[in-house]
Amino acid sequence: MKTVNIITLVLVIIGGINWGLVGLFQFDLVAAIFGGQDALLARAVYVLVGVSAVWQLVPLFGAGHAGEAAAQRHHR
């Protein structure tokens, strides 16, 4: 599970950097590397980044629930 979390986190970071480049310079690095936004490989990367973002919600909410449980134990 840890390996999947690291891979998905890296992909989310890549996606964030790509969106930053799009916003700042109107330059889509993924499209430039893989042959345009409509290229199959570019679309695959976009999908993987999106799925990775959804996957990263799992540890985010898990950490939130763990923090709540720890806070409740400490409060007693």
Coordinates of all heavy atoms in Angstrom, one line a residue:
M1 N 0.8 -1.2 0.0 CA 0.0 0.0 0.0 C 0.9 1.2 0.0 O 0.5 2.2 -0.7 CB -0.9 0.0 1.2 CG -1.9 1.1 1.2 SD -3.3 0.9 0.1 CE -4.6 0.7 1.2
K2 N 2.0 1.2 0.7 CA 2.8 2.4 0.8 C 3.4 2.7 -0.6 O 3.5 3.9 -0.9 CB 4.0 2.1 1.8 CG 4.9 3.3 2.0 CD 6.0 3.0 3.0 CE 6.9 4.2 3.1 NZ 8.0 4.0 4.1
T3 N 3.8 1.7 -1.4 CA 4.3 2.0 -2.7 C 3.3 2.7 -3.6 O 3.6 3.6 -4.3 CB 4.8 0.7 -3.3 OG1 5.7 0.0 -2.5 CG2 5.4 0.9 -4.7
V4 N 2.0 2.2 -3.5 CA 1.0 2.9 -4.3 C 0.8 4.3 -3.9 O 0.6 5.2 -4.7 CB -0.4 2.1 -4.2 CG1 -1.5 2.8 -4.8 CG2 -0.2 0.7 -4.7
N5 N 0.8 4.6 -2.6 CA 0.7 5.9 -2.1 C 1.8 6.8 -2.6 O 1.6 8.0 -2.9 CB 0.6 6.0 -0.6 CG -0.7 5.5 0.0 OD1 -1.7 5.4 -0.8 ND2 -0.7 5.0 1.2
I6 N 3.0 6.3 -2.6 CA 4.2 7.1 -3.1 C 4.0 7.4 -4.6 O 4.2 8.5 -5.0 CB 5.5 6.4 -2.8 CG1 5.7 6.4 -1.2 CG2 6.7 7.1 -3.5 CD1 6.9 5.6 -0.8
I7 N 3.7 6.4 -5.3 CA 3.5 6.6 -6.8 C 2.4 7.6 -7.1 O 2.6 8.5 -7.9 CB 3.3 5.2 -7.5 CG1 4.5 4.3 -7.4 CG2 2.8 5.4 -8.9 CD1 4.2 2.9 -7.8
T8 N 1.3 7.4 -6.4 CA 0.2 8.3 -6.7 C 0.5 9.8 -6.2 O 0.1 10.7 -6.9 CB -1.1 7.9 -6.0 OG1 -1.0 7.7 -4.6 CG2 -1.6 6.6 -6.7
L9 N 1.2 9.9 -5.1 CA 1.7 11.2 -4.7 C 2.6 11.9 -5.7 O 2.4 13.1 -6.0 CB 2.3 11.1 -3.3 CG 2.8 12.5 -2.7 CD1 1.6 13.4 -2.5 CD2 3.5 12.2 -1.4
V10 N 3.5 11.1 -6.3 CA 4.4 11.7 -7.3 C 3.6 12.1 -8.5 O 3.9 13.2 -9.1 CB 5.5 10.6 -7.7 CG1 6.2 11.0 -8.9 CG2 6.5 10.4 -6.5
L11 N 2.6 11.3 -8.9 CA 1.8 11.7 -10.1 C 1.0 12.9 -9.8 O 0.8 13.8 -10.7 CB 0.9 10.5 -10.5 CG 1.6 9.4 -11.2 CD1 0.7 8.2 -11.3 CD2 2.1 9.8 -12.6
V12 N 0.5 13.1 -8.6 CA -0.3 14.3 -8.2 C 0.7 15.5 -8.2 O 0.3 16.6 -8.7 CB -0.9 14.1 -6.8 CG1 -1.5 15.4 -6.3 CG2 -2.1 13.1 -6.9
I13 N 1.9 15.3 -7.8 CA 2.8 16.4 -7.8 C 3.2 16.8 -9.3 O 3.2 18.0 -9.6 CB 4.1 16.1 -7.0 CG1 3.8 16.0 -5.5 CG2 5.2 17.1 -7.3 CD1 4.9 15.4 -4.7
I14 N 3.4 15.8 -10.1 CA 3.6 16.1 -11.5 C 2.4 16.8 -12.1 O 2.6 17.8 -12.9 CB 3.8 14.8 -12.3 CG1 5.2 14.2 -11.9 CG2 3.7 15.0 -13.8 CD1 5.4 12.8 -12.4
G15 N 1.2 16.4 -11.8 CA 0.0 17.1 -12.3 C -0.1 18.5 -11.8 O -0.4 19.5 -12.5
G16 N 0.3 18.7 -10.5 CA 0.3 20.1 -10.0 C 1.3 21.0 -10.6 O 1.0 22.2 -11.0
I17 N 2.5 20.5 -10.9 CA 3.5 21.2 -11.6 C 3.0 21.6 -13.0 O 3.2 22.7 -13.5 CB 4.9 20.5 -11.6 CG1 5.4 20.4 -10.2 CG2 5.8 21.1 -12.6 CD1 6.6 19.5 -10.0
N18 N 2.4 20.6 -13.7 CA 1.9 20.8 -15.0 C 0.9 21.9 -15.0 O 0.9 22.8 -15.9 CB 1.4 19.5 -15.6 CG 1.2 19.6 -17.1 OD1 2.1 19.9 -17.9 ND2 -0.1 19.4 -17.5
W19 N -0.1 21.9 -14.1 CA -1.1 22.9 -14.0 C -0.5 24.2 -13.7 O -0.9 25.3 -14.2 CB -2.2 22.5 -13.0 CG -3.2 21.7 -13.6 CD1 -3.4 20.3 -13.3 CD2 -4.2 22.0 -14.6 NE1 -4.5 19.9 -14.1 CE2 -4.9 20.9 -14.9 CE3 -4.4 23.2 -15.3 CZ2 -6.0 20.9 -15.8 CZ3 -5.4 23.2 -16.3 CH2 -6.2 22.0 -16.5
G20 N 0.5 24.3 -12.9 CA 1.2 25.5 -12.6 C 1.9 26.1 -13.9 O 1.8 27.3 -14.1
L21 N 2.5 25.2 -14.7 CA 3.1 25.7 -15.9 C 2.0 26.2 -16.9 O 2.2 27.2 -17.6 CB 3.9 24.6 -16.6 CG 5.2 24.2 -15.9 CD1 5.7 22.9 -16.5 CD2 6.2 25.3 -16.0
V22 N 0.9 25.5 -16.9 CA -0.2 25.9 -17.8 C -0.7 27.3 -17.3 O -0.9 28.2 -18.2 CB -1.4 24.9 -17.8 CG1 -2.6 25.5 -18.5 CG2 -1.0 23.6 -18.5
G23 N -0.9 27.5 -16.1 CA -1.4 28.8 -15.5 C -0.4 29.9 -15.7 O -0.9 31.0 -16.0
L24 N 0.8 29.7 -15.5 CA 1.8 30.7 -15.5 C 2.3 31.0 -17.0 O 2.5 32.2 -17.3 CB 3.0 30.4 -14.7 CG 2.8 30.4 -13.2 CD1 4.1 29.8 -12.5 CD2 2.6 31.8 -12.7
F25 N 2.5 30.0 -17.7 CA 3.1 30.2 -19.1 C 2.3 29.6 -20.2 O 2.8 29.6 -21.4 CB 4.5 29.5 -19.0 CG 5.4 30.0 -17.9 CD1 5.7 29.1 -16.9 CD2 5.9 31.2 -17.9 CE1 6.5 29.5 -15.8 CE2 6.7 31.7 -16.8 CZ 7.0 30.8 -15.8
Q26 N 1.1 29.1 -20.0 CA 0.3 28.5 -21.0 C 1.1 27.4 -21.7 O 1.1 27.3 -22.9 CB -0.2 29.5 -22.0 CG -1.2 30.5 -21.4 CD -1.7 31.5 -22.4 OE1 -1.3 31.6 -23.5 NE2 -2.7 32.3 -22.0
F27 N 1.9 26.6 -20.9 CA 2.7 25.6 -21.5 C 2.3 24.3 -20.8 O 2.5 24.1 -19.6 CB 4.2 25.9 -21.2 CG 5.1 24.8 -21.7 CD1 5.3 24.5 -23.0 CD2 5.8 24.0 -20.8 CE1 6.1 23.5 -23.5 CE2 6.6 22.9 -21.2 CZ 6.8 22.7 -22.6
D28 N 1.8 23.3 -21.6 CA 1.4 22.0 -21.0 C 2.6 21.0 -21.3 O 2.8 20.6 -22.4 CB 0.2 21.5 -21.8 CG -0.4 20.3 -21.2 OD1 0.3 19.5 -20.5 OD2 -1.6 20.0 -21.4
L29 N 3.4 20.8 -20.2 CA 4.6 20.0 -20.3 C 4.2 18.5 -20.7 O 4.9 17.9 -21.5 CB 5.3 20.0 -19.0 CG 6.6 19.1 -19.0 CD1 7.6 19.7 -20.0 CD2 7.2 19.2 -17.5
V30 N 3.1 18.0 -20.2 CA 2.7 16.6 -20.5 C 2.4 16.5 -22.0 O 2.8 15.6 -22.7 CB 1.5 16.2 -19.6 CG1 0.9 14.8 -20.1 CG2 1.9 16.1 -18.2
A31 N 1.7 17.5 -22.5 CA 1.3 17.5 -23.9 C 2.6 17.6 -24.8 O 2.7 17.0 -25.8 CB 0.3 18.6 -24.3
A32 N 3.5 18.5 -24.3 CA 4.7 18.7 -25.1 C 5.6 17.4 -25.1 O 6.2 17.1 -26.2 CB 5.5 19.8 -24.5
I33 N 5.6 16.7 -24.1 CA 6.4 15.5 -24.0 C 5.8 14.4 -24.8 O 6.5 13.6 -25.5 CB 6.7 15.0 -22.5 CG1 7.6 16.0 -21.8 CG2 7.2 13.6 -22.5 CD1 7.7 15.8 -20.3
F34 N 4.5 14.2 -24.7 CA 3.8 13.1 -25.3 C 3.1 13.3 -26.6 O 2.3 12.5 -27.0 CB 2.9 12.4 -24.2 CG 3.6 11.9 -23.1 CD1 3.5 12.5 -21.8 CD2 4.4 10.7 -23.2 CE1 4.2 12.0 -20.7 CE2 5.1 10.2 -22.1 CZ 5.0 10.9 -20.9
G35 N 3.3 14.5 -27.2 CA 2.7 14.7 -28.6 C 1.4 15.4 -28.7 O 0.7 15.1 -29.6
G36 N 1.1 16.2 -27.7 CA -0.2 17.0 -27.8 C -1.2 16.4 -26.8 O -1.1 15.3 -26.4
Q37 N -2.2 17.3 -26.5 CA -3.2 16.9 -25.5 C -4.1 15.7 -26.0 O -4.6 15.0 -25.1 CB -4.1 18.1 -25.2 CG -3.5 19.2 -24.4 CD -4.4 20.3 -24.1 OE1 -5.4 20.5 -24.8 NE2 -4.1 21.1 -23.1
D38 N -4.2 15.6 -27.3 CA -5.1 14.5 -27.8 C -4.3 13.2 -28.0 O -4.9 12.1 -28.3 CB -5.7 14.9 -29.1 CG -6.7 16.0 -28.9 OD1 -7.3 16.1 -27.8 OD2 -6.9 16.8 -29.8
A39 N -3.0 13.2 -27.8 CA -2.2 12.0 -27.9 C -2.6 10.9 -26.9 O -2.9 11.3 -25.7 CB -0.7 12.3 -27.9
L40 N -2.6 9.7 -27.2 CA -3.0 8.6 -26.3 C -2.1 8.6 -25.1 O -2.7 8.5 -24.0 CB -2.9 7.3 -27.0 CG -3.3 6.1 -26.2 CD1 -4.8 6.2 -25.9 CD2 -3.1 4.8 -27.0
L41 N -0.8 8.8 -25.2 CA 0.0 8.8 -24.0 C -0.2 10.0 -23.1 O -0.3 9.8 -21.8 CB 1.5 8.7 -24.4 CG 2.0 7.4 -24.9 CD1 3.4 7.5 -25.4 CD2 1.9 6.3 -23.8
A42 N -0.5 11.1 -23.7 CA -0.8 12.3 -22.8 C -2.1 12.1 -22.1 O -2.2 12.4 -20.9 CB -0.8 13.6 -23.7
R43 N -3.1 11.6 -22.8 CA -4.4 11.3 -22.2 C -4.2 10.3 -21.1 O -4.9 10.4 -20.0 CB -5.4 10.9 -23.2 CG -5.7 12.1 -24.2 CD -6.8 11.7 -25.1 NE -8.0 11.2 -24.4 CZ -9.1 10.9 -25.0 NH1 -9.2 11.1 -26.3 NH2 -10.1 10.5 -24.2
A44 N -3.4 9.3 -21.3 CA -3.2 8.3 -20.2 C -2.5 8.9 -19.0 O -2.9 8.6 -17.9 CB -2.3 7.2 -20.8
V45 N -1.6 9.8 -19.2 CA -1.0 10.5 -18.1 C -2.0 11.4 -17.3 O -2.1 11.3 -16.1 CB 0.2 11.4 -18.5 CG1 0.7 12.3 -17.4 CG2 1.3 10.5 -19.0
Y46 N -2.9 12.1 -18.1 CA -3.9 12.9 -17.4 C -4.8 12.0 -16.6 O -5.2 12.4 -15.5 CB -4.7 13.6 -18.5 CG -4.0 14.6 -19.3 CD1 -4.3 14.8 -20.7 CD2 -3.0 15.4 -18.8 CE1 -3.6 15.7 -21.5 CE2 -2.3 16.4 -19.5 CZ -2.6 16.5 -20.9 OH -1.9 17.4 -21.6
V47 N -5.2 10.9 -17.1 CA -6.1 9.9 -16.4 C -5.4 9.4 -15.2 O -6.0 9.4 -14.1 CB -6.6 8.8 -17.3 CG1 -7.2 7.7 -16.5 CG2 -7.5 9.3 -18.4
L48 N -4.1 9.0 -15.3 CA -3.4 8.5 -14.1 C -3.2 9.6 -13.1 O -3.3 9.3 -11.9 CB -2.0 8.0 -14.6 CG -2.0 6.7 -15.3 CD1 -0.6 6.4 -15.9 CD2 -2.5 5.6 -14.5
V49 N -3.0 10.8 -13.4 CA -2.9 11.9 -12.5 C -4.3 12.1 -11.8 O -4.3 12.2 -10.5 CB -2.5 13.2 -13.1 CG1 -2.6 14.4 -12.2 CG2 -1.0 13.1 -13.5
G50 N -5.4 12.1 -12.5 CA -6.7 12.2 -11.9 C -7.0 11.1 -11.0 O -7.5 11.3 -9.9
V51 N -6.7 9.8 -11.4 CA -7.0 8.7 -10.5 C -6.1 8.8 -9.3 O -6.5 8.5 -8.2 CB -6.8 7.4 -11.3 CG1 -6.8 6.2 -10.4 CG2 -7.8 7.2 -12.4
S52 N -4.9 9.2 -9.4 CA -4.0 9.4 -8.3 C -4.5 10.4 -7.3 O -4.4 10.2 -6.1 CB -2.6 9.8 -8.8 OG -2.0 8.8 -9.6
A53 N -5.1 11.5 -7.8 CA -5.6 12.5 -6.9 C -6.8 11.9 -6.1 O -6.9 12.2 -4.9 CB -6.1 13.7 -7.7
V54 N -7.6 11.1 -6.7 CA -8.7 10.5 -6.0 C -8.2 9.5 -5.0 O -8.6 9.4 -3.8 CB -9.7 9.8 -7.0 CG1 -10.7 9.0 -6.3 CG2 -10.4 10.8 -7.9
W55 N -7.1 8.7 -5.4 CA -6.5 7.8 -4.5 C -5.9 8.5 -3.2 O -6.0 8.0 -2.1 CB -5.4 7.0 -5.2 CG -4.8 6.0 -4.3 CD1 -3.7 6.2 -3.5 CD2 -5.2 4.7 -4.0 NE1 -3.4 5.0 -2.8 CE2 -4.4 4.1 -3.1 CE3 -6.3 3.9 -4.5 CZ2 -4.5 2.8 -2.6 CZ3 -6.5 2.6 -4.0 CH2 -5.6 2.1 -3.1
Q56 N -5.4 9.6 -3.4 CA -4.8 10.4 -2.3 C -5.8 10.9 -1.3 O -5.4 11.2 -0.2 CB -3.9 11.5 -2.8 CG -2.6 11.1 -3.4 CD -1.7 10.4 -2.4 OE1 -1.5 10.9 -1.2 NE2 -1.1 9.3 -2.7
L57 N -7.1 10.8 -1.7 CA -8.1 11.2 -0.7 C -8.2 10.1 0.4 O -8.6 10.5 1.5 CB -9.5 11.3 -1.4 CG -9.6 12.5 -2.4 CD1 -10.9 12.4 -3.1 CD2 -9.5 13.8 -1.6
V58 N -7.9 8.9 0.1 CA -7.9 7.8 1.1 C -7.0 8.1 2.3 O -7.5 8.1 3.4 CB -7.6 6.4 0.4 CG1 -7.6 5.3 1.5 CG2 -8.7 6.1 -0.6
P59 N -5.7 8.3 2.1 CA -4.9 8.6 3.2 C -5.2 9.9 3.9 O -5.1 10.1 5.1 CB -3.4 8.6 2.7 CG -3.5 8.6 1.2 CD -4.9 8.1 0.8
L60 N -5.7 10.9 3.1 CA -6.0 12.2 3.7 C -7.2 12.0 4.7 O -7.1 12.5 5.8 CB -6.5 13.1 2.6 CG -7.0 14.5 3.1 CD1 -5.8 15.3 3.7 CD2 -7.6 15.3 1.9
F61 N -8.2 11.3 4.3 CA -9.4 11.1 5.2 C -9.0 10.1 6.3 O -9.5 10.3 7.4 CB -10.6 10.7 4.5 CG -11.2 11.8 3.7 CD1 -11.4 11.6 2.3 CD2 -11.6 13.0 4.3 CE1 -12.0 12.7 1.5 CE2 -12.2 14.0 3.5 CZ -12.4 13.9 2.2
G62 N -8.1 9.2 6.0 CA -7.7 8.2 7.0 C -6.9 9.0 8.1 O -7.1 8.7 9.3
A63 N -6.1 9.9 7.7 CA -5.3 10.7 8.7 C -6.2 11.6 9.5 O -6.0 11.7 10.7 CB -4.2 11.5 8.0
G64 N -7.2 12.1 8.9 CA -8.2 12.9 9.6 C -8.9 12.1 10.7 O -9.1 12.6 11.8
H65 N -9.4 10.9 10.3 CA -10.1 10.1 11.3 C -9.1 9.6 12.4 O -9.5 9.6 13.5 CB -10.7 8.9 10.6 CG -11.9 9.3 9.7 ND1 -13.0 10.0 10.2 CD2 -12.1 9.1 8.4 CE1 -13.8 10.2 9.2 NE2 -13.3 9.7 8.1
A66 N -7.9 9.3 12.1 CA -6.9 8.9 13.1 C -6.6 10.0 14.0 O -6.5 9.8 15.2 CB -5.6 8.4 12.4
G67 N -6.6 11.2 13.5 CA -6.3 12.4 14.3 C -7.5 12.7 15.3 O -7.3 13.0 16.4
E68 N -8.7 12.5 14.8 CA -9.9 12.7 15.6 C -9.9 11.6 16.7 O -10.2 11.9 17.9 CB -11.2 12.5 14.8 CG -11.4 13.7 13.8 CD -12.6 13.5 12.9 OE1 -13.4 12.5 13.2 OE2 -12.7 14.2 12.0
A69 N -9.6 10.4 16.4 CA -9.6 9.3 17.4 C -8.5 9.6 18.5 O -8.8 9.4 19.7 CB -9.3 8.0 16.8
A70 N -7.3 10.0 18.0 CA -6.3 10.4 19.0 C -6.7 11.5 19.9 O -6.4 11.5 21.1 CB -5.0 10.7 18.3
A71 N -7.4 12.5 19.3 CA -7.8 13.7 20.1 C -8.8 13.3 21.1 O -8.8 13.8 22.2 CB -8.3 14.8 19.1
Q72 N -9.7 12.4 20.7 CA -10.8 11.9 21.7 C -10.1 11.1 22.8 O -10.5 11.2 23.9 CB -11.8 11.1 20.9 CG -12.7 11.9 20.0 CD -13.7 11.1 19.2 OE1 -13.6 9.8 19.3 NE2 -14.5 11.7 18.5
R73 N -9.1 10.3 22.5 CA -8.5 9.5 23.5 C -7.7 10.4 24.5 O -7.7 10.2 25.7 CB -7.5 8.5 22.9 CG -8.1 7.3 22.3 CD -7.1 6.2 22.0 NE -6.0 6.7 21.2 CZ -5.9 6.7 19.9 NH1 -6.9 6.2 19.2 NH2 -4.8 7.1 19.3
H74 N -7.1 11.5 23.9 CA -6.3 12.4 24.8 C -7.3 13.3 25.6 O -6.9 13.6 26.7 CB -5.5 13.3 23.9 CG -4.6 14.3 24.6 ND1 -4.0 13.9 25.8 CD2 -4.3 15.5 24.4 CE1 -3.3 15.0 26.2 NE2 -3.5 16.0 25.4
H75 N -8.4 13.6 25.1 CA -9.4 14.4 25.8 C -10.0 13.7 27.0 O -10.3 14.4 28.0 CB -10.5 14.9 24.9 CG -11.5 15.8 25.5 ND1 -11.1 17.1 25.9 CD2 -12.8 15.7 25.7 CE1 -12.2 17.7 26.4 NE2 -13.2 16.8 26.3
R76 N -10.1 12.4 27.0 CA -10.7 11.7 28.1 C -9.9 11.7 29.4 O -9.0 11.8 29.8 CB -10.9 10.2 27.7 CG -12.0 10.1 26.7 CD -12.2 8.7 26.3 NE -13.1 8.6 25.2 CZ -13.5 7.5 24.7 NH1 -13.0 6.4 25.1 NH2 -14.3 7.5 23.7

